[in-house]
Amino acid sequence: MLLIPAIDLKNGHCVRLRQGNMDDVTVFSEDPVEMARQWADQGAQRIHVVDLDGALKGLPVNLKVVEAIAAAVDVPVQIGGGIRDEETVQRYLNAGVAYVIIGTKAVNTPHFLRDLCLEYPRHIIVSLDAKDGRLALNGWSKLTHFDAIEAAVHCERDGVEALIYTDIGRDGMMAGFNVEATRALARAVNTPVFASGGVSTLDDIRRLKDLEGEGVAGAVIGRALYEGGFSLADALKISAA
């Protein structure tokens, strides 16, 4: 089971939001590259990076920072936020990023995802960000009528490497991840699913571990690690048990 520390980039800094609200920002580090090194040194086997500015603008804004992170650590880096064309995917992969995360465009332009999975097999992950089971797009600024589970099935058909499922209502709120929604989505597909949004205690890690046999491959963890809810080392001990 993979526990993946998150580095959310805004104006070149490492930040965390609450429920995706760009006006509710906490800056945890002004040096995200050093932050990535710290997580890798503490045992992280992968680093999750999101270009928050890019997610809103629809194009990479913090590309240089992402390139520096990929060059600074020896573990795989996955990047999401504002990736809306193949040229951006190619730039990130050329920079040493291992996985590129598609969000908005995977939902509203299905052939784009299908083409990427054919062109870059095993490098494409889709982020499904939902509120009450409905997907949100464009940096979570637009709630759609699309159903998260239906979208997951389509993504699997296209050949994605993994899915990241975020319950927006719980993201950054330290209230625990949505166990039932995560389980339901993981049961609907054979593709590995990573939980995101709300993982806040070691009990959440134990709940994740209980879902491992149902297709949940791990979690992306943010605020809990930055605010000391638990240490990465303690979480890794549970996940490895």
Side-chain angles (χ1 to χ4, degrees):
M1 174 165 280
L2 280 178
L3 301 181
I4 312 174
I7 295 177
D8 288 1
L9 300 173
K10 184 172 171 55
N11 299 324
H13 298 155
C14 175
V15 307
R16 298 303 298 169
L17 308 181
R18 293 184 190 275
Q19 298 181 323
N21 185 350
M22 286 288 192
D23 295 322
D24 193 347
V25 181
T26 305
V27 177
F28 283 104
S29 173
E30 296 185 359
D31 188 347
V33 177
E34 178 56 30
M35 199 77 251
R37 286 196 192 97
Q38 288 183 32
W39 293 135
D41 289 346
Q42 291 176 37
Q45 294 179 296
R46 191 184 297 186
I47 305 292
H48 176 86
V49 183
V50 178
D51 183 349
L52 293 173
D53 302 305
L56 284 181
K57 293 191 176 182
L59 49 85
V61 174
N62 291 285
L63 178 64
K64 295 296 184 185
V65 180
V66 178
E67 289 176 340
I69 289 173
V73 296
D74 293 327
V75 298
V77 172
Q78 58 190 43
I79 172 67
I83 301 171
R84 310 283 166 82
D85 57 56
E86 186 177 344
E87 180 184 355
T88 303
V89 172
Q90 188 67 66
R91 287 179 72 183
Y92 278 130
L93 293 177
N94 287 344
V97 170
Y99 304 101
V100 176
I101 304 166
I102 310 298
T104 293
K105 196 130 185 204
V107 176
N108 61 22
T109 315
H111 68 83
F112 174 71
L113 177 64
R114 189 163 54 248
D115 291 347
L116 284 183
C117 289
L118 287 170
E119 187 70 24
Y120 309 100
R122 308 214 62 179
H123 291 288
I124 306 301
I125 294 173
V126 167
S127 178
L128 298 174
D129 310 318
K131 190 170 186 179
D132 300 323
R134 295 165 61 202
L135 293 183
L137 306 179
N138 301 327
W140 299 356
S141 63
K142 178 184 176 184
L143 197 62
T144 74
H145 65 277
F146 295 115
D147 178 79
I149 290 179
E150 288 180 11
V153 171
H154 284 293
C155 291
E156 177 166 84
R157 192 177 303 145
D158 288 338
V160 299
E161 176 69 7
L163 297 163
I164 298 173
Y165 178 69
T166 303
D167 183 322
I168 295 170
R170 294 174 182 247
D171 187 67
M173 301 305 290
M174 301 290 284
F177 73 106
N178 190 327
V179 177
E180 293 308 317
T182 304
R183 176 189 282 118
L185 190 131
R187 282 178 172 174
V189 294
N190 293 315
T191 303
V193 172
F194 290 91
S196 178
V199 175
S200 55
T201 68
L202 291 177
D203 280 340
D204 287 328
I205 305 300
R206 294 183 182 97
R207 292 184 188 100
L208 275 170
K209 188 71 176 172
D210 289 341
L211 298 179
E212 191 172 19
E214 301 192 57
V216 177
V220 174
I221 308 174
R223 186 175 289 272
L225 291 176
Y226 288 96
E227 292 189 343
F230 53 80
S231 71
L232 182 58
D234 286 343
L236 288 172
K237 286 177 187 175
I238 294 170
S239 71

